[in-house]
Amino acid sequence: MGTVTTSSLVSFSTCFLPKSLYSKTRFQFQSQLLRRPNSLIQFRNISLDRNKSSDCVRIKPSSSMAAENKNKNKNVQVFDSEEDLAVSLAKYTADLSAKFGKEKGSFTVVLSGGSLIDSLRKLVEPPYVDSIEWAKWHVFWVDERVVPKDHDDSNYKLAYDGFLSKVPITTGNVYAINDALSAEGAAEDYETCLKHLTKSNILATSAATGFPKFDLMLLGMGPDGHIASLFPGHPLLKENERWVTFIEDSPKPPPERITFTFPVINSSAYIAMVVCGAGKSSAVQTALGNNQNSDLLPVQMASAEEFTWFLDKDATSKL
């Protein structure tokens, strides 16, 4: 497995690349990578260090690169395959489950739809399915389509079929929307639910923002760079008061949805942004490359106390 780790969206502080990219000399290696346009890494004055225990090469940045990374809280991990990514994501999630379960007796997890659920498949296999304290989990959705729970477009159904039905999470700890309501009504109802959970101390409140603070958000990204149901150029990107809002004109069907707002997303303790496939490489290039566009993609507007990108190499093919 090759991984890339960074504390910046612009230049790597520490990074790992597969040995397949490694040339016999430092200068050959630099020459190969510097010819790649839109490279994510600034490769001046770097040194290389073979990691003999794994199939990767460590890149050590210059001191100037380290200075640029100061106070950054975003990490990037790139995997040779989606299978490697799923293995690492399971360990990451299980470790956080143990951490928060020990610290506060519960673990609040937010799911999204799309391919994210499939990337969680290792959690329903040994050793995690038997070792995780599932009774401490409280599960939410960052967005949901306003359709019946048994509808093929339902994020709840997707998560239930692929994940929730295979682990012993307490039924009362799974917080789905009321699909009998309108989009507006469902958003208001879900926000009311979250506020009740903060009052009962099941869900923490961010001291910095006053919005709910989830332990972990497991998010995906669309090919256009949208996250949750927050789409490029949509007015909901500017919503800064509501916890949960609704959309009736989603550019991606179905049109009626509810979604967390950015103040809630950005109050999270941890976010894992899971992106796989060449179809999303353009958005990854915009988000992580040397892009000068002043209009940020929704994914670029997301943050957390600790934010980690989980990418397969196909998703980074344009970097």
Side-chain angles (χ1 to χ4, degrees):
M1 178 181 72
T3 63
V4 177
T5 306
T6 177
S7 59
S8 170
L9 289 180
V10 178
S11 56
F12 290 153
S13 60
T14 303
C15 44
F16 297 88
L17 292 177
K19 285 180 180 174
S20 59
L21 293 179
Y22 186 85
S23 295
K24 292 183 178 179
T25 70
R26 168 186 175 184
F27 301 102
Q28 288 173 332
F29 182 80
Q30 286 181 288
S31 177
Q32 282 184 1
L33 293 178
L34 284 168
R35 287 200 298 267
R36 297 173 62 193
N38 303 314
S39 176
L40 176 61
I41 316 172
Q42 296 181 1
F43 286 102
R44 296 179 181 177
N45 300 319
I46 61 174
S47 62
L48 299 178
D49 180 22
R50 274 187 179 274
N51 186 333
K52 296 180 181 179
S53 63
S54 62
D55 292 328
C56 63
V57 172
R58 180 191 296 266
I59 301 178
K60 297 180 179 179
S62 66
S63 58
S64 62
M65 289 171 61
E68 290 176 4
N69 289 325
K70 187 177 181 180
N71 298 324
K72 300 295 185 180
N73 65 342
K74 295 191 177 183
N75 305 307
V76 176
Q77 296 186 22
V78 180
F79 300 88
D80 285 339
S81 68
E82 193 277 337
E83 176 73 8
D84 289 340
L85 182 153
V87 170
S88 182
L89 183 63
K91 183 180 187 304
Y92 171 88
T93 304
D95 287 348
L96 289 178
S97 175
K99 165 185 162 62
F100 284 105
K102 181 179 180 179
E103 290 177 355
K104 62 189 189 69
S106 64
F107 184 43
T108 54
V109 183
V110 177
L111 304 177
S112 60
S115 60
L116 180 278
I117 299 301
D118 184 55
S119 294
L120 297 178
R121 64 187 180 276
K122 298 299 180 181
L123 288 173
V124 306
E125 300 175 2
Y128 303 116
V129 69
D130 301 315
S131 61
I132 288 176
E133 295 183 274
W134 297 106
K136 294 182 177 181
W137 279 48
H138 294 260
V139 178
F140 306 82
W141 277 265
V142 72
D143 73 324
E144 179 59 284
R145 292 85 178 271
V146 185
V147 296
K149 291 183 180 65
D150 60 356
H151 194 283
D152 286 343
D153 286 334
S154 167
N155 283 341
Y156 171 85
K157 182 180 188 304
L158 178 68
Y160 182 83
D161 291 348
F163 176 52
L164 296 176
S165 63
K166 302 176 182 181
V167 293
I169 297 175
T170 306
T171 302
N173 291 357
V174 177
Y175 305 91
I177 72 166
N178 185 340
D179 57 8
L181 300 176
S182 66
E184 182 176 10
E188 292 176 352
D189 181 73
Y190 210 62
E191 181 169 325
T192 298
C193 172
L194 299 186
K195 289 181 176 179
H196 173 74
L197 292 172
T198 58
K199 290 179 181 178
S200 59
N201 295 320
I202 292 173
L203 181 58
T205 301
S206 169
T209 68
F211 286 90
K213 181 179 181 179
F214 291 93
D215 298 329
L216 172 63
M217 289 199 182
L218 293 160
L219 305 182
M221 180 195 75
D224 60 353
H226 85 266
I227 63 171
S229 285
L230 299 167
F231 294 91
H234 197 280
L236 287 185
L237 298 181
K238 299 179 181 179
E239 174 60 54
N240 59 12
E241 295 182 359
R242 295 285 304 273
W243 292 13
V244 185
T245 190
F246 68 98
I247 181 171
E248 296 178 315
D249 58 349
S250 168
K252 179 181 178 182
E256 294 189 348
R257 302 156 174 248
I258 74 161
T259 183
F260 284 2
T261 59
F262 271 118
V264 173
I265 293 172
N266 294 349
S267 295
S268 302
Y270 292 80
I271 287 179
M273 185 64 63
V274 183
V275 183
C276 297
K280 299 179 180 180
S281 59
S282 292
V284 170
Q285 179 189 33
T286 299
L288 298 180
N290 265 338
N291 180 53
Q292 303 300 322
N293 193 336
S294 59
D295 295 328
L296 296 177
L297 294 177
V299 72
Q300 294 174 280
M301 299 170 65
S303 63
E305 289 181 1
E306 184 168 318
F307 187 110
T308 302
W309 288 81
F310 286 80
L311 306 166
D312 70 355
K313 65 182 180 182
D314 288 342
T316 65
S317 59
K318 293 187 178 180
L319 290 175

